[in-house]
Amino acid sequence: MKPALVVYLKECRESLRDKRVLLNALLLGPLLGPLLFVVLLRFALGHELDQAERPLPVVVIGAEYAPNLVSALRQQGLQPLAAVPDVETQVREQHVRLALRISAQFADDWRAGRPAQVEIIYDSSRRDGSQFDRLRSMLENYSLRTGAMRLIARGLLPSVGNGLLIATRDQATPQARGALLFAMLPYFLILTTFLGGMWLAIDSTAGERERQSLEPLLINPVPRGQVLLGKMLAAASFSLTSLTLGLLAFAVAARLLPVQRMEMSLSLGPRVMATILLLMLPLLLLIVIAQMLVSAFAKSYREAQTYVSLLQLVPLIPSIALSVLPLSPQLWMYSLPLIGQQLAMLRLLRGDSVSVLPLAACTLATLVATGAVFLIAQRVYQSERLAVNA
Amino acid sequence: MIQIERLHKRFGAKTAVEDVSFSALDGQITGLLGPNGAGKTTTLRMLYTLLQPERGRILVDGIDAAREPLEVRRRLAVLPDARGLYKRLTARENITYFGQLHGLAPSLLRQRTDQLVHALSMQDIADRRVEGFSQGERVKTAIARALVHDPRNIVLDEPGNGLDVMAMRGLRDFLRQLKGEGRCVLFSTHIMQEVAALCDRIVIIAGGRVVADGTPAELRDLAAEQSLEEAFVKLIGAAAAGALA
């Protein structure tokens, strides 16, 4: 039996007897992401849907000057609230969300065919901009309608008043809209990969050193690269298990979401899952060996835990960059480990296919990076300092 | 057989081992005696190729440790200063792990493990998890683990540390048995009584140098003292005075 295989089997056996590893790698890691995801999304989606259907409460000042306007707005879902004194202050102090002031001259201007003034009083620093937009579009609708009627009354075609005819045609497919929603999913999956292998990566390196079993182990007539390889593969196995469970959990979670109501769908079928697993395999090795390298510099288990937790934030950077910057994926981006996988996963989840070339570039580049980090780790594990630090 | 020739080792500015030479012969127990910090552990770590000496040569059964470290490790059983076991594995699993790393065939490995379990009277703990073992039980397991590949040369760093009287006595009998089988046994200690009771040859190290090397009788003569302990104190005292001068 190859020494790496001996080390691999021993690490797996030992870890399977460790409740803490099992709990973190096989339960918390895979489940925490999907659970958090479902709760957050249900909340966000529910909120969004309700807002569009619910009546819009607005404080209306001077409703008596324009009863026709108010009743037209009421038909569009506006719910007029009684006027309050000093409405500007009330809005600033967030007692009132949105107010509409109709000027006393409204009726005179209206009758004279002059633009009649209405004011929207709102606070743009409040998070909920959609209410303001709704009120504004209600008023614009009313304005256009009455404008058109006035032109007809004067014998003119209403379209004379329109310089432009604007139509918006959203090209997002239902899946694509779903993917926008699920833009964070790749990060959750990468995080699951991190958490799955983390405990073993730390325990079999910094932990082994702290428990003083590293020196006896390294006295065996086995090249250190073999020891490292065995440990890496053991941690990678746990990471892979964690990722598989995480994907399954997400597939179940996707069913619990009200995606149908949003006319969205998310492809997380067996084919997509298998492709994601295959795609993540080299990245998983890279993550695990990076965790082991970082742990090698730590004097204790706890110190290693701190370093590895910081390492965990690294994949967050491309995630945020990809969701904020409107980048269209280029081939060279696929050849960056972490970014390539996230881009490819995003496409796969949208129901798009990813062609062979980007997938190959992504896999190859990640494998090269893994090899490089492995060589560095091997050098570190050759050093005298590492073995005898008691 | 272990031959150590003119070994030097520095850590930064501090010289840990300076010009250390001695031999440990087959069929003998050799004691490496010295106060704490004398350079015993560093010397042994160079012997089992965990550290690289700056100068000097190490031969195990005539094989150069610098050229063929893996072959030298195959010929050594080592109980290092750090003797961490895997607490979630049983004693037998701990022993088996190292046997597999040495590449022993499964049937031979089982046979060797049974022999060692018997020789160290570990029958009642062999299949228990190491977690919760007493110090004596841990040392036994660590020794069995080190000897699983049946090497000719046995190196033990402070094997008596933390052992009670009965466990120490058991260990002594076991080392004598190894010697009786014609093996080369080398162990380090800072405790006088351990060497006096056991050794055919004593190498005294102080301040990183060998200050005396001989049979217990020769050392007593050298220091012109009746007891070995007095001889020891006198010899390392002379070295300390020499270092000060």
Side-chain angles (χ1 to χ4, degrees):
Chain A
M1 206 165 21
K2 290 281 279 181
L5 183 61
V6 174
V7 174
Y8 171 80
L9 291 175
K10 175 258 167 192
E11 293 296 347
C12 287
R13 168 186 279 181
E14 208 188 3
S15 298
L16 286 172
R17 291 182 187 172
D18 187 348
K19 288 200 190 70
R20 190 178 45 177
V21 170
L22 289 184
L23 189 73
N24 280 293
L26 304 183
L27 202 68
L28 283 183
L31 290 187
L32 200 68
L35 215 65
L36 203 70
F37 195 64
V38 169
V39 170
L40 283 177
L41 270 181
R42 275 199 88 90
F43 182 73
L45 280 182
H47 203 57
E48 199 102 315
L49 284 176
D50 289 348
Q51 293 284 322
E53 288 158 7
R54 212 186 272 157
L56 179 67
V58 176
V59 169
V60 181
I61 297 153
E64 65 276 17
Y65 303 126
N68 286 341
L69 171 66
V70 173
S71 69
L73 291 177
R74 211 193 276 268
Q75 275 170 19
Q76 294 189 56
L78 182 129
Q79 182 194 359
L81 300 176
V84 292
D86 194 13
V87 74
E88 275 84 357
T89 315
Q90 298 272 19
V91 168
R92 208 176 305 125
E93 288 172 2
Q94 310 206 343
H95 299 306
V96 170
R97 233 178 226 276
L98 206 53
L100 180 69
R101 183 186 286 135
I102 300 167
S103 92
Q105 294 210 316
F106 189 93
D108 294 340
D109 287 339
W110 186 261
R111 270 192 294 276
R114 289 191 296 265
Q117 200 191 30
V118 292
E119 291 169 84
I120 301 174
I121 298 128
Y122 76 111
D123 179 354
S124 68
S125 69
R126 286 190 71 164
R127 211 162 35 80
D128 210 349
S130 65
Q131 295 205 350
F132 165 74
D133 291 336
R134 263 184 85 194
L135 178 59
R136 199 189 163 96
S137 74
M138 284 178 189
L139 290 167
E140 275 167 359
N141 274 343
Y142 184 75
S143 169
L144 277 177
R145 233 176 35 223
T146 51
M149 283 193 300
R150 284 178 189 167
L151 288 176
I152 289 169
R154 285 161 178 75
L156 291 172
L157 260 181
S159 56
V160 173
N162 299 337
L164 288 177
L165 179 66
I166 302 165
T168 53
R169 295 195 175 88
D170 192 353
Q171 293 304 298
T173 57
Q175 278 98 337
R177 246 176 295 163
L180 201 67
L181 204 84
F182 282 73
M184 284 307 280
L185 191 80
Y187 175 69
F188 275 107
L189 288 176
I190 290 176
L191 199 64
T192 304
T193 317
F194 259 82
L195 292 176
M198 174 169 137
W199 298 93
L200 221 160
I202 297 176
D203 199 70
S204 66
T205 53
E208 176 136 43
R209 191 143 67 122
E210 191 170 81
R211 291 190 299 271
Q212 308 221 317
S213 54
L214 191 62
E215 183 172 344
L217 175 63
L218 295 179
I219 296 168
N220 284 297
V222 173
R224 297 208 182 154
Q226 291 273 325
V227 175
L228 201 60
L229 185 65
K231 286 171 182 283
M232 177 177 98
L233 292 179
S237 298
F238 274 76
S239 180
L240 185 63
T241 311
S242 199
L243 176 65
T244 311
L245 292 175
L247 270 174
L248 289 172
F250 266 113
V252 173
R255 285 167 199 275
L256 297 179
L257 289 171
V259 282
Q260 246 58 55
R261 267 215 294 164
M262 298 287 286
E263 291 175 22
M264 285 174 177
S265 73
L266 182 88
S267 26
L268 243 177
R271 222 190 136 85
V272 171
M273 272 203 256
T275 316
I276 289 182
L277 279 179
L278 213 61
L279 182 75
M280 285 291 283
L281 207 56
L283 182 65
L284 193 138
L285 291 174
L286 177 62
I287 288 172
V288 165
I289 192 70
Q291 287 173 334
M292 289 175 63
L293 174 62
V294 165
S295 302
F297 291 102
K299 287 188 192 66
S300 68
Y301 193 97
R302 275 173 176 256
E303 198 182 332
Q305 227 174 317
T306 311
Y307 295 164
V308 171
S309 302
L310 288 175
L311 190 68
Q312 199 166 296
L313 297 177
V314 173
L316 199 56
I317 299 165
S319 288
I320 291 173
L322 287 177
S323 62
V324 173
L325 300 173
L327 292 173
S328 61
Q330 309 283 320
L331 187 60
W332 64 266
M333 288 188 205
Y334 280 101
S335 60
L336 299 176
L338 274 180
I339 295 179
Q341 280 85 1
Q342 296 205 21
L343 285 173
M345 274 197 277
L346 275 174
R347 278 188 72 87
L348 287 169
L349 292 169
R350 281 159 68 120
D352 294 339
S353 64
V354 183
S355 57
V356 178
L357 194 61
L359 283 184
C362 177
T363 303
L364 196 69
T366 311
L367 282 177
V368 169
T370 307
V373 179
F374 186 89
L375 289 180
I376 297 170
Q378 199 179 5
R379 274 196 86 96
V380 173
Y381 276 82
Q382 298 284 6
S383 77
E384 291 189 348
R385 193 187 65 85
L386 185 103
V388 300
N389 188 329
Chain B
M1 189 169 91
I2 296 168
Q3 291 157 281
I4 286 179
E5 296 168 6
R6 316 207 61 174
L7 231 44
H8 282 259
K9 180 71 186 176
R10 269 204 315 255
F11 294 113
K14 185 176 169 286
T15 303
V17 170
E18 198 175 359
D19 208 22
V20 164
S21 303
F22 64 87
S23 301
L25 304 178
D26 290 346
Q28 282 197 356
I29 299 180
T30 307
L32 199 56
L33 181 66
N36 289 331
K40 302 186 296 290
T41 297
T42 304
T43 304
L44 294 183
R45 278 179 172 160
M46 286 189 277
L47 167 59
Y48 53 73
T49 71
L50 202 66
L51 295 180
Q52 295 265 325
E54 260 117 46
R55 264 179 288 147
R57 196 161 72 131
I58 296 162
L59 299 174
V60 176
D61 296 341
I63 294 163
D64 191 331
R67 295 225 186 96
E68 295 178 68
L70 291 189
E71 186 51 36
V72 161
R73 283 190 226 163
R74 249 173 235 128
R75 287 162 182 272
L76 290 176
V78 181
L79 178 73
D81 180 40
R83 44 192 74 140
L85 300 164
Y86 301 105
K87 60 181 183 181
R88 284 188 290 274
L89 301 184
T90 66
R92 197 183 287 276
E93 285 166 345
N94 267 284
I95 300 166
T96 306
Y97 180 37
F98 276 33
Q100 288 171 333
L101 287 175
H102 272 280
L104 299 188
S107 59
L108 179 63
L109 178 54
R110 213 169 307 124
Q111 187 195 332
R112 273 298 292 166
T113 310
D114 287 339
Q115 272 174 17
L116 286 163
V117 164
H118 185 75
L120 288 157
S121 356
M122 296 170 58
Q123 289 88 340
D124 49 339
I125 57 165
D127 294 303
R128 264 172 45 202
R129 289 207 190 162
V130 169
E131 195 156 27
F133 271 23
S134 73
Q135 187 66 26
E137 290 164 342
R138 279 170 203 272
V139 172
K140 276 185 187 177
T141 310
I143 289 176
R145 179 173 80 167
L147 283 163
V148 67
H149 56 298
D150 200 13
R152 300 287 301 162
N153 307 281
I154 292 121
V155 178
L156 309 100
D157 196 356
E158 305 265 1
N161 263 5
L163 293 190
D164 61 23
V165 179
M166 285 313 290
M168 191 62 221
R169 178 177 277 220
L171 178 66
R172 261 189 238 128
D173 290 344
F174 184 69
L175 295 184
R176 284 203 192 93
Q177 190 189 324
L178 293 173
K179 169 189 163 182
E181 292 163 5
R183 297 177 208 258
C184 165
V185 179
L186 169 66
F187 77 93
S188 76
T189 181
H190 62 277
I191 301 162
M192 193 59 227
Q193 288 78 356
E194 281 183 16
V195 282
L198 210 54
C199 292
D200 301 295
R201 193 183 181 86
I202 299 173
V203 179
I204 299 180
I205 287 195
R209 289 173 167 275
V210 174
V211 297
D213 180 355
T215 63
E218 283 170 353
L219 293 187
R220 277 197 295 268
D221 292 347
L222 186 68
E225 290 292 340
Q226 283 302 302
S227 84
L228 202 52
E229 183 161 339
E230 289 302 323
F232 175 54
V233 171
K234 201 161 175 177
L235 287 166
I236 62 167
L244 286 173

